[in-house]
Amino acid sequence: GLETTKSIRSHNTQIPIIILTAHSTDRDKEECFAFGATEFLSKPVTKKDLQSCIEKTKYRCAVKRSNNK
């Protein structure tokens, strides 16, 4: 997960990356963001949690794109 995120970020800084993991400490979360994650979810995840995270990520990406115009 983290190495894949790092690799994706080295080629594309715009694509949203939501990391889903069983690791849920603050340190784990910080590490995910340090590697370039856009969002972080820890298991178990409900359908509502996932939908909310996707919507939040879509909104943040849209705002970021509009600010870069």
Side-chain angles (χ1 to χ4, degrees):
L2 294 178
E3 289 302 319
T4 301
T5 300
K6 185 177 178 181
S7 177
I8 291 168
R9 282 290 173 247
S10 73
H11 300 293
N12 185 329
T13 59
Q14 301 301 312
I15 191 169
I17 300 172
I18 300 172
I19 292 184
L20 177 61
T21 181
H23 305 284
S24 60
T25 67
D26 288 340
R27 186 168 186 253
D28 294 323
K29 189 173 183 176
E30 290 170 11
E31 188 174 29
C32 288
F33 287 122
F35 272 74
T38 308
E39 271 302 328
F40 173 93
L41 288 172
S42 60
K43 296 175 187 177
V45 175
T46 66
K47 183 177 178 180
K48 183 178 178 181
D49 292 336
L50 182 57
Q51 287 173 325
S52 175
C53 183
I54 291 169
E55 289 304 315
K56 181 169 69 170
T57 301
K58 285 171 45 178
Y59 174 78
R60 288 174 60 198
C61 290
V63 168
K64 190 174 182 179
R65 277 193 304 271
S66 69
N67 288 338
N68 289 333
K69 288 182 180 181

